[in-house]
Amino acid sequence: VTRNAPARETAPTGVAAADAHAELAADSRITAMGLVSEVYNGLVAKTLPQLAEHGVAPAEFEVLLRLSRSAGGRLRMSDLAAQTSLTSSGITRLVDRLERGGLLRRTACPSDRRGLFAELTDTGWERIEAVVPGHVELIDQWLIGLLEPGEREQFLATLRKLRDIVRPGATAGAAGPTDAAAHG
Amino acid sequence: VTRNAPARETAPTGVAAADAHAELAADSRITAMGLVSEVYNGLVAKTLPQLAEHGVAPAEFEVLLRLSRSAGGRLRMSDLAAQTSLTSSGITRLVDRLERGGLLRRTACPSDRRGLFAELTDTGWERIEAVVPGHVELIDQWLIGLLEPGEREQFLATLRKLRDIVRPGATAGAAGPTDAAAHG
DNA sequence: GAAGATTGAAGACTCAATCTTA
DNA sequence: TAAGATTGAGTCTTCAATCTTC
């Protein structure tokens, strides 16, 4: 796309010039990315108030959830960092807050003294149990329940495919790609 | 789910107790939400470096993109806030940064003296044109190109459906739900 | 009084540097 | 030397309060 309207600054010609350039950004692939973003952010916005009622921020909820799905209700700091979208520094601070709130505690890792576990406390388990039912209801209302069974399965299959390619390290700390080890 | 393992604190019984509780959080609907989150965050991570090469953060890119798709390359502050996931305060500061960088300017709104337009400068247009091609390539590589044509259309159709329900105000400032007015 | 936009104060996250252990 | 985790400094975002205009 070449720029051939040097006098865009003047008001009357501005709109026409903008139209010429808009083609670039109107690319359908950018729109697709925008859809993913809007759906994700929209869903977060829908679930935010219910989490807030329980005093839990979305990132905190994700950490609590990952811990609750792991053997012993605990995971190493570095594994939490790998599984979430936070850096190891961010995990340190988030775990600080949750520990301050009594939802988890740090425990030593016997096999490697550099490592630390974040481990759910009884209070942490109770909090998860208190939050999850309402949370599931909202996901049902704004995501799952809006799709026909066939459409839903196709949608989830595509998401899984994309996730596996785009986020290879998402299962660090678990023995297998589907948490199968937690049942052994 | 009832809690019947009061001695969870002691190491040996911890794992079994965790298993009993894990059922709650293993709900498939929570997993679905997690997939959306992982795909979105994974895609952001893939596109981040290329945006950074051009000195643009994701939120800034989204604002520049929305402006470039709007008539005259401009949008009111309040419309930007409605279209993005930022508050009006957040938009004020983000526009501050972009204005400081010379990518846009604030201009007065003739019909309502409370309002302000954020309007792309020539530098802003140039930046968008410089960033978009590489950005599109990455979306192609990590999202669009990974799906068969049929799967892709189905996926996008589902996303559109969800977006329309979950984010009703996403088109504030545009005349129609698909930016049709920009072509008049 | 309400809406559009901005500001001060505070929270959350990242980067780079640091400390400890492998 | 490298890996796990933390800390200080700086950036980005929000909330609540404020100012201007409707």
Side-chain angles (χ1 to χ4, degrees), chain A residues 57-171:
Chain A
E60 295 169 352
F61 181 63
E62 192 191 350
V63 163
L64 294 176
L65 212 47
R66 300 239 177 217
L67 292 179
S68 78
R69 301 171 103 149
S70 300
R74 66 181 181 227
L75 225 36
R76 287 181 52 168
M77 303 292 287
S78 50
D79 291 331
L80 276 176
Q83 289 186 19
T84 63
S85 54
L86 294 183
T87 63
S88 103
S89 172
I91 285 293
T92 290
R93 267 133 172 147
L94 192 148
V95 166
D96 280 347
R97 293 198 298 277
L98 292 177
E99 187 168 33
R100 210 178 303 136
L103 302 184
L104 57 77
R105 71 176 81 84
R106 284 170 163 92
T107 62
C109 177
S111 61
D112 185 340
R113 280 192 298 184
R114 293 173 303 179
L116 282 178
F117 283 113
E119 179 178 338
L120 285 175
T121 61
D122 282 2
T123 306
W125 283 109
E126 287 162 10
R127 186 69 59 92
I128 281 277
E129 289 171 16
V131 176
V132 162
H135 186 72
V136 167
E137 235 174 82
L138 287 169
I139 298 176
D140 229 3
Q141 180 179 353
W142 297 107
L143 177 62
I144 301 298
L146 297 173
L147 309 178
E148 305 296 325
E151 180 180 23
R152 171 166 67 231
E153 284 319 305
Q154 175 62 52
F155 184 62
L156 293 177
T158 299
L159 285 176
R160 273 189 289 268
K161 178 198 284 192
L162 293 173
R163 191 270 314 267
D164 289 342
I165 295 176
V166 137
R167 283 210 76 195
T171 49

Side-chain angles (χ1 to χ4, degrees), chain B residues 155-173:
Chain B
F155 184 61
L156 293 177
T158 298
L159 285 176
R160 274 190 288 270
K161 178 198 282 191
L162 293 173
R163 192 268 313 267
D164 289 343
I165 294 175
V166 136
R167 283 209 78 195
T171 50

Side-chain angles (χ1 to χ4, degrees), chain B residues 59-74:
Chain B
E60 296 170 352
F61 180 63
E62 192 190 350
V63 163
L64 294 176
L65 211 49
R66 300 242 178 216
L67 292 179
S68 78
R69 302 172 105 149
S70 300
R74 67 181 182 227

Side-chain angles (χ1 to χ4, degrees), chain B residues 112-130:
Chain B
D112 185 341
R113 281 190 298 182
R114 292 172 302 178
L116 282 178
F117 283 113
E119 179 178 337
L120 286 175
T121 61
D122 281 2
T123 306
W125 282 109
E126 288 161 11
R127 187 68 59 91
I128 281 275
E129 290 170 16

Side-chain angles (χ1 to χ4, degrees), chain B residues 62-100:
Chain B
E62 192 190 350
V63 163
L64 294 176
L65 211 49
R66 300 242 178 216
L67 292 179
S68 78
R69 302 172 105 149
S70 300
R74 67 181 182 227
L75 225 36
R76 287 182 52 168
M77 303 292 286
S78 51
D79 291 330
L80 277 176
Q83 289 186 19
T84 63
S85 54
L86 295 183
T87 63
S88 104
S89 172
I91 285 294
T92 291
R93 269 137 171 145
L94 193 149
V95 166
D96 281 347
R97 294 198 298 277
L98 292 177
E99 187 168 33
R100 210 177 303 135

